[in-house]
Amino acid sequence: MVAELYRAYHRPLLSFVVRLTRGDVQWAEDVVQETMVRAWRSADRFDADASSLMPWLATVARHIVIDDRRRRDARPHEAGEAPLESVTMPDQMEDLLRQVVVSDALSSLSPAHREILNETVLRDRSVNDAAEALGIPVGTVKSRAYYALRALRVALEERGVTA
């Protein structure tokens, strides 16, 4: 029975299913096999007087294709290996170069300017706290911080850094 069914309907069913699967012959073959298995399981329900089983087989195959598409759409798509080759990795060289340039610019400043920037910028202290820590008047901290930032800006521009 199954062998006869397969011989009679394999080619027309495969042709129909290839159109349903948009040319994917391998998928179409799988669908035809699954359709034949379902036909074999339902052999007792076939109408013996029917002129053709093709409408029933085509309906079953169509439902299998629809179910397969839904199953594929419900799962996340696999990435494969190709996209991994083109994934951009953050280049930390730029940050390293920036640190080197800033460190070099800071080292070119006077010790008093470096000390003020260290207290106010790097340690994030207020002008009053920096004055207390350094033992100098608040006005001196303000003026040194102003001139230290100007000197740092010039030193960075000399090294090609522009804001």
Side-chain angles (χ1 to χ4, degrees):
M1 158 82 184
V2 175
E4 291 173 29
L5 184 70
Y6 191 82
R7 268 192 301 278
Y9 295 106
H10 176 261
R11 287 182 190 243
L13 185 60
L14 182 61
S15 175
F16 173 74
V17 175
V18 166
R19 286 191 306 267
L20 289 178
T21 60
R22 298 181 184 126
D24 189 338
V25 178
Q26 185 177 4
W27 182 19
E29 285 284 351
D30 292 343
V31 170
V32 169
Q33 287 179 1
E34 178 63 25
T35 304
M36 294 298 174
V37 168
R38 290 184 187 185
W40 175 68
R41 289 181 184 157
S42 302
D44 59 332
R45 289 188 260 156
F46 289 141
D47 182 10
D49 297 330
S51 61
S52 173
L53 291 177
M54 190 60 190
W56 184 86
L57 293 171
T59 301
V60 170
R62 191 174 143 274
H63 287 257
I64 292 170
V65 170
I66 290 169
D67 290 346
D68 284 351
R69 280 202 183 111
R70 286 179 181 160
R71 206 174 0 264
R72 287 180 185 173
D73 291 342
R75 294 179 55 202
H77 296 285
E78 295 179 9
E81 292 182 25
L84 294 179
E85 294 171 1
S86 62
V87 171
T88 57
M89 294 296 295
D91 186 11
Q92 296 177 352
M93 189 57 113
E94 192 71 31
D95 291 335
L96 179 63
L97 289 174
R98 190 176 299 115
Q99 289 174 0
V100 168
V101 170
V102 170
S103 177
D104 185 49
L106 282 170
S107 67
S108 72
L109 300 179
S110 69
H113 287 164
R114 274 196 313 270
E115 183 179 51
I116 284 296
L117 291 178
N118 185 44
E119 292 297 322
T120 57
V121 177
L122 298 178
R123 292 190 179 180
D124 197 27
R125 290 187 174 164
S126 67
V127 174
N128 291 335
D129 292 341
E132 188 178 317
L134 296 173
I136 57 176
V138 171
T140 303
V141 171
K142 288 179 181 181
S143 66
R144 280 189 193 169
Y146 173 78
Y147 288 110
L149 286 173
R150 283 184 59 182
L152 180 61
R153 183 175 297 119
V154 169
L156 288 171
E157 285 174 358
E158 288 173 354
R159 287 159 179 78
V161 177
T162 57

